Amino acid sequence: MSRLQRRISAATAMVLSAAVLASCGGSPSTGSSQASSALPAIRYQSHLAAGGDLPSGVVLLNPKKAGDEATIKAGETLFAAMNCDGCHGGGGGGWVGPSLADGRWRYGGADAEVFFSIYYGRPKGMPAFGGKLGSDGVWTLVTYLKSLPVPPEVATESWVTR
């Protein structure tokens, strides 16, 4: 391939790249303008913040009342109907997936953090249920899970010192 052909190929590749970026709403120099201005979906209470300052984000509040028996019963039914017990065991005690009743949460145990895990899913096995259940269904599950009593004996020990 001649030097002129290589230059034409490189120029063609740059033009094609710019066209693809433009069609996605971005530009070659800045990337997607939406990605650069988007805020995180929620603020995680359990994350460490550099210099003590957490990045801004929205605060998700559970619209379901904690301890509401009707919501808890509906959440228990939904937990079984969506086959959550297939991974997390009956009553959320853990099986292939982690226990949801031991008071230890890999991605944070605040209502908003649990909501985020169910709604959007997590890597390595947790599917996103938000598209299937919607916000109301996910909040119902969160209320049910948060109502589960922590067993007096937990099968493994936490690595977090208390």
Side-chain angles (χ1 to χ4, degrees):
M1 183 182 278
S2 73
R3 176 180 251 175
L4 179 61
Q5 288 174 322
R6 281 193 299 255
R7 284 187 176 177
I8 291 172
S9 293
T12 303
M14 288 175 51
V15 169
L16 288 174
S17 295
V20 168
L21 283 171
S23 71
C24 295
S27 67
S29 60
T30 62
S32 172
S33 60
Q34 186 179 21
S36 63
S37 64
L39 294 176
I42 64 170
R43 289 179 71 166
Y44 281 92
Q45 296 174 2
S46 59
H47 285 178
L48 297 174
D53 296 326
L54 285 171
S56 59
V58 298
V59 177
L60 295 178
L61 298 175
N62 188 345
K64 309 287 185 182
K65 184 173 165 62
D68 178 58
E69 291 301 320
T71 302
I72 292 169
K73 183 66 177 159
E76 182 179 27
T77 302
L78 196 55
F79 190 81
M82 295 308 297
N83 198 29
C84 302
D85 54 0
C87 289
H88 295 287
W95 188 57
V96 176
S99 172
L100 303 174
D102 64 5
R104 298 181 303 194
W105 300 90
R106 180 174 295 161
Y107 296 103
D111 284 6
E113 294 165 337
V114 176
F115 175 91
F116 198 84
S117 292
I118 297 169
Y119 195 89
Y120 292 107
R122 292 293 181 179
K124 300 182 180 163
M126 176 63 188
F129 284 94
K132 194 71 159 166
L133 297 174
S135 294
D136 189 63
V138 174
W139 282 122
T140 300
L141 280 173
V142 169
T143 303
Y144 163 67
L145 294 174
K146 298 302 288 256
S147 77
L148 296 174
V150 176
E153 295 290 325
V154 179
T156 58
E157 292 186 30
S158 173
W159 57 270
V160 177
T161 49
R162 297 177 194 239

